[in-house]
Amino acid sequence: MLDGGPSVQLQRTHGTAAVAVSVRDGRIQLDRLKQSGSAKCLLPRVHRAVPQAVFLNTSGGITGGDQIEFGAQVGADASLIATTQTAERAYQSVTGSGHVDVTLDVGENANLVWVPQETILFDQANLDRKTRVNLAPGASLFMLESLVFGRCAMGETLVSVSCKDTRQVDGPNGPIWRDRLHISDQTVQDAGHPFGLANAGAIATVYAFGPAYQNLKVQCTDGVRLSKSAWTGQTVVRMMSPRAHALRNALVSLLAENLPEGVPRVWQI
């Protein structure tokens, strides 16, 4: 605002996209599709039994004051692969946090694969993302989230950033898994600390739960560090690399190895 001049109302993005599928007449079919604002959900034609849903934010990125909501509901005995059209970008914010809320409901004996492409954090980004999953008895879930710290190929480094990334998975008897990541100015200032980012240019978390993913296969890849924990039908894999493209290649290999339907087409473009 100029001295003595009128205030300027910055344009902000709001959007909601949600999809629901169920088994009818022996096939997985679309029940509902909701789209509003800048959030969209595409349903590409696939020549396989399991449908795919591709979410996108047509505004081109997230900045302070934006609100994006994605949702997927998978009915009993159905399966769905959901991803995003491209990498999401969290841009510099001057008006607080940009919010992304993801709600996933997986019915009895159903299977959901939630594998959005990476989120790129630009310097001075302020992102608050929450992912909530509700699992019915016998449900399976494969979930992947990855973060890239600036555009490495352009020599960008983060100086100031806020990213709060919360994931919670609930079953019929209550909480199953909770995961909260907070990257702050202090985090990037201590980026070389071995108990922090350890000079990583990108990180990823893979979570697998349920009967469909009892034997998750993870292989070490050059340039990528990883750790794997498994307990009571759950597996968590943490991955990090100084180079974003090396981590992405490792994630593509992990998807190809563990998803019967293969890597979603948009990941291969």
Side-chain angles (χ1 to χ4, degrees), residues 8-261:
V8 176
Q9 183 68 40
L10 298 177
Q11 184 175 3
R12 290 295 174 251
T13 290
H14 298 272
T16 299
V19 63
V21 298
S22 66
V23 175
R24 286 182 284 123
D25 299 325
R27 297 176 53 196
I28 303 172
Q29 301 188 40
L30 177 67
D31 274 349
R32 294 184 302 280
L33 177 63
K34 176 182 178 181
Q35 302 180 108
S36 67
S38 66
K40 307 297 180 186
C41 180
L42 307 179
L43 302 172
R45 180 177 297 177
V46 293
H47 301 286
R48 298 193 178 187
V50 178
Q52 294 185 14
V54 180
F55 291 89
L56 64 147
N57 171 20
T58 59
S59 70
I62 302 290
T63 189
D66 291 349
Q67 178 72 52
I68 299 295
E69 298 178 3
F70 292 142
Q73 183 177 356
V74 186
D77 300 311
S79 297
L80 177 68
I81 298 173
T83 182
T84 54
Q85 186 185 44
T86 186
E88 184 60 275
R89 293 161 176 81
Y91 292 119
Q92 175 185 359
S93 172
V94 295
T95 55
S97 301
H99 294 269
V100 178
D101 292 313
V102 179
T103 303
L104 309 172
D105 293 289
V106 191
E108 190 169 351
N109 300 317
N111 180 28
L112 173 65
V113 174
W114 171 249
V115 287
Q117 299 192 64
E118 61 268 26
T119 296
I120 303 173
L121 299 177
F122 284 65
D123 195 39
Q124 300 183 55
N126 190 336
L127 176 66
D128 188 347
R129 179 169 59 188
K130 296 181 176 67
T131 303
R132 305 175 180 86
V133 186
N134 298 302
L135 299 176
S140 295
L141 170 71
F142 185 101
M143 180 165 62
L144 161 67
E145 295 282 3
S146 57
L147 291 172
V148 175
F149 307 127
R151 293 176 296 179
C152 303
M154 300 186 68
E156 292 180 343
T157 57
L158 300 185
V159 177
S160 176
V161 68
S162 177
C163 176
K164 298 177 182 178
D165 201 5
T166 304
R167 291 173 285 265
Q168 64 181 61
V169 179
D170 293 318
N173 298 318
I176 296 177
W177 186 58
R178 295 289 187 269
D179 192 43
R180 180 176 173 84
L181 174 69
H182 184 193
I183 296 175
S184 64
D185 292 358
Q186 190 65 50
T187 309
V188 296
Q189 290 168 15
D190 296 336
H193 198 287
F195 292 101
L197 296 177
N199 290 320
I203 62 174
T205 300
V206 177
Y207 176 76
F209 175 84
Y213 305 108
Q214 290 299 300
N215 298 303
L216 193 71
K217 300 175 183 177
V218 183
Q219 296 182 353
C220 292
T221 305
D222 289 342
V224 177
R225 299 170 58 190
L226 65 84
S227 64
K228 176 182 175 182
S229 301
W231 71 102
T232 60
Q234 305 174 68
T235 303
V236 175
V237 181
R238 311 280 189 185
M239 307 173 71
M240 61 196 315
S241 175
R243 303 184 304 277
H245 73 274
L247 180 61
R248 181 180 173 89
N249 289 340
L251 292 174
V252 169
S253 296
L254 188 147
L255 295 178
E257 186 74 18
N258 291 281
L259 301 184
E261 299 294 324

